[in-house]
Amino acid sequence: MKFKKHVVHLHRLLLDPNNYRFHDLPRYREVRLKSRYSEPGVQSRAQNLLEDSPAFDLGSLKDSIRTNGYIPIEQIVVVPFETISDANHLFLVIEGNRRTAAVKSLLKENEEGSVDLTDVIKSSMKKIEVVELLGADAEIATYTRTLMAIRHVSGVRQWGPYQQAKLVVELFELEGATLGSVAQKIGITSREVARRYRASKALAQMEEDEEFSDFAEPRLYAFFHEAVSSPTIREWLGFSDETYTSTNDDARRLFFELLSPREIDGNIRPAKLTNANQQVRQLRDIVGKAKAVDVLADPEATFEDAHKAALSEIVESEEGIVQSSLAQAITALKKPGLAYSDAEEKELKLWADLLEVIKKIKRIIRES
């Protein structure tokens, strides 16, 4: 990969309207035609998404730049977009959109009079050093994905889990890579790459489901991540590591129902699963218990009702095991072939131990 450094005027830098940071925002809409990226409306929308979303915390970055000026500690990475003239070549920002948006916002506010920037601060922002990627389109695309993965999946300022998984899917599928090679590229374990990939594909299955697609949204990614991380739940869903889909239709439908609001008697009730960390882990106790699963599927029952039913089945099962073990022991001791009187020293020791256990149990029964 070749690189070239430039010092460019800010107006020559275009924000990426399909920035990965936007993908789980309700207001985000994909801009399909790259030729439209430079349109004022498209750029204005990207700027507004960065300014208005609290997760990006543009305000604190602007405060820092307003105080200290623009300090190019981290490089802004760009690719060529369009050549209007030699002096007015446009670049698309692929890394550094947040910093670029902060500088653009500050200069606009200064022009409007809402902030007062010193000449020194303004001069640090009007021309910015950038690093341009040079090469064939496919080479640039591959390098871009790798760069963003290193920066935002294993890097110091991580993306959210949904954006991380989406990029992992692209690295794996679009480049024909293996989960191991993706892991090596971005500096996380193969196991973590596999979890992100499984969860993303499981969510995609809900997005493609005719009945539940309207309820599938990026925030549900956390539930799928927890679910596919559990061998018990994967087995219940019949999750295939060949197709990366759930093959158990009944279990899959119930899981989608748990994540979706339901209409009962004309009233909309919220989804039963609302806490990915706690409830999906509790789901492991439920899915192997037939009665508990029936409670879980009951529209009138709560998730807590199903979990209590599962715990009751576990207690009943343990009590049954104890009763069965006692019955087997008594049957064995009553066998006429046992030669109590001719017992050897080791056998006598075992009989003595058994007698002590029986005495202890009798004391517990009397005291209870």
Side-chain angles (χ1 to χ4, degrees):
M1 196 75 221
K2 294 182 179 180
F3 310 87
K4 184 177 180 180
K5 288 189 176 183
H6 303 274
V7 176
V8 301
H9 284 279
L10 192 64
H11 71 269
R12 295 170 62 186
L13 299 181
L14 300 177
L15 299 172
D16 182 0
N18 293 327
N19 188 333
Y20 278 94
R21 292 184 186 274
F22 299 158
H23 287 194
D24 61 349
L25 298 179
R27 292 168 50 207
Y28 168 66
R29 297 294 182 273
E30 181 184 2
V31 179
R32 296 182 181 276
L33 297 178
K34 190 173 181 179
S35 60
R36 299 194 61 186
Y37 284 16
S38 60
E39 293 180 8
V42 173
Q43 285 296 298
S44 177
R45 182 176 181 80
Q47 180 77 31
N48 290 338
L49 286 173
L50 285 162
E51 288 181 352
D52 298 340
S53 302
F56 302 148
D57 194 18
L58 214 64
S60 61
L61 180 57
K62 288 166 61 178
D63 288 342
S64 173
I65 296 173
R66 184 169 53 189
T67 302
N68 305 303
Y70 178 78
I71 303 173
I73 296 175
E74 296 180 301
Q75 299 282 9
I76 289 179
V77 183
V78 301
V79 293
F81 179 76
E82 180 180 64
T83 302
I84 298 174
S85 66
D86 291 341
N88 201 19
H89 187 91
L90 298 181
F91 299 93
L92 177 67
V93 177
I94 62 169
E95 177 57 33
N97 278 274
R98 182 170 169 267
R99 282 166 283 151
T100 302
V103 172
K104 285 177 177 282
S105 179
L106 276 174
L107 289 176
K108 182 173 182 291
E109 289 172 359
N110 183 71
E111 291 176 1
E112 294 169 346
S114 57
V115 299
D116 298 311
L117 302 177
T118 67
D119 290 338
V120 173
I121 297 296
K122 281 189 292 184
S123 65
S124 75
M125 294 189 291
K126 287 190 174 179
K127 285 188 176 183
I128 293 178
E129 184 177 87
V130 300
V131 176
E132 179 186 8
L133 302 182
L134 301 173
D137 289 347
E139 185 183 12
I140 289 176
T142 296
Y143 186 87
T144 298
R145 283 190 287 267
T146 301
L147 172 65
M148 289 188 292
I150 292 171
R151 289 277 298 135
H152 301 291
V153 177
S154 59
V156 293
R157 189 176 184 85
Q158 294 188 351
W159 284 343
Y162 176 75
Q163 293 94 333
Q164 292 181 19
K166 187 174 177 64
L167 181 56
V168 164
V169 170
E170 288 193 8
L171 285 168
F172 181 62
E173 294 184 347
L174 297 184
E175 298 185 15
T178 64
L179 294 178
S181 64
V182 172
Q184 289 177 347
K185 270 190 175 184
I186 62 180
I188 62 176
T189 65
S190 297
R191 188 175 183 182
E192 284 303 315
V193 170
R195 283 177 177 171
R196 287 167 167 80
Y197 188 77
R198 287 191 188 110
S200 184
K201 301 302 283 186
L203 175 56
Q205 194 172 8
M206 184 177 181
E207 292 170 341
E208 295 164 4
D209 189 284
E210 291 184 3
E211 184 178 359
F212 296 98
S213 59
D214 288 345
F215 306 116
E217 50 184 312
R219 70 173 184 82
L220 297 182
Y221 172 83
F223 293 89
F224 285 94
H225 187 92
E226 286 293 335
V228 301
S229 297
S230 164
T232 301
I233 298 178
R234 283 208 310 273
E235 182 179 354
W236 174 62
L237 291 170
F239 192 83
S240 167
D241 276 341
E242 293 181 359
T243 63
Y244 292 98
T245 58
S246 169
T247 60
N248 185 325
D249 295 341
D250 292 337
R252 181 180 66 249
R253 189 178 192 283
L254 177 54
F255 188 62
F256 290 171
E257 283 181 347
L258 298 176
L259 295 169
S260 307
R262 307 171 312 290
E263 183 176 349
I264 301 175
D265 298 330
N267 297 316
I268 302 297
R269 296 191 183 182
K272 287 187 180 183
L273 287 180
T274 57
N275 185 311
N277 290 333
Q278 178 181 345
Q279 289 180 309
V280 177
R281 291 171 186 174
Q282 290 174 336
L283 188 61
R284 294 178 299 189
D285 299 329
I286 297 173
V287 296
K289 317 293 185 302
K291 294 179 182 177
V293 171
D294 288 342
V295 175
L296 189 66
D298 183 351
E300 298 291 342
T302 66
F303 181 85
E304 289 69 28
D305 293 335
H307 193 235
K308 288 177 183 177
L311 297 180
S312 296
E313 284 194 61
I314 292 173
V315 171
E316 290 174 4
S317 175
E318 290 176 348
E319 289 175 348
I321 291 172
V322 171
Q323 292 171 5
S324 175
S325 298
L326 285 172
Q328 290 177 19
I330 292 169
T331 300
L333 290 172
K334 286 181 177 179
K335 285 183 178 180
L338 282 174
Y340 304 100
S341 58
D342 297 331
E344 296 181 357
E345 186 177 346
K346 288 183 179 179
E347 292 173 345
L348 289 172
K349 176 67 169 60
L350 291 174
W351 284 114
D353 290 344
L354 177 60
L355 185 59
E356 288 300 317
V357 170
I358 293 171
K359 288 179 180 179
K360 184 177 181 180
I361 292 173
K362 286 177 67 176
R363 285 197 301 270
I364 292 172
I365 292 173
R366 282 198 301 266
E367 293 169 1
S368 62

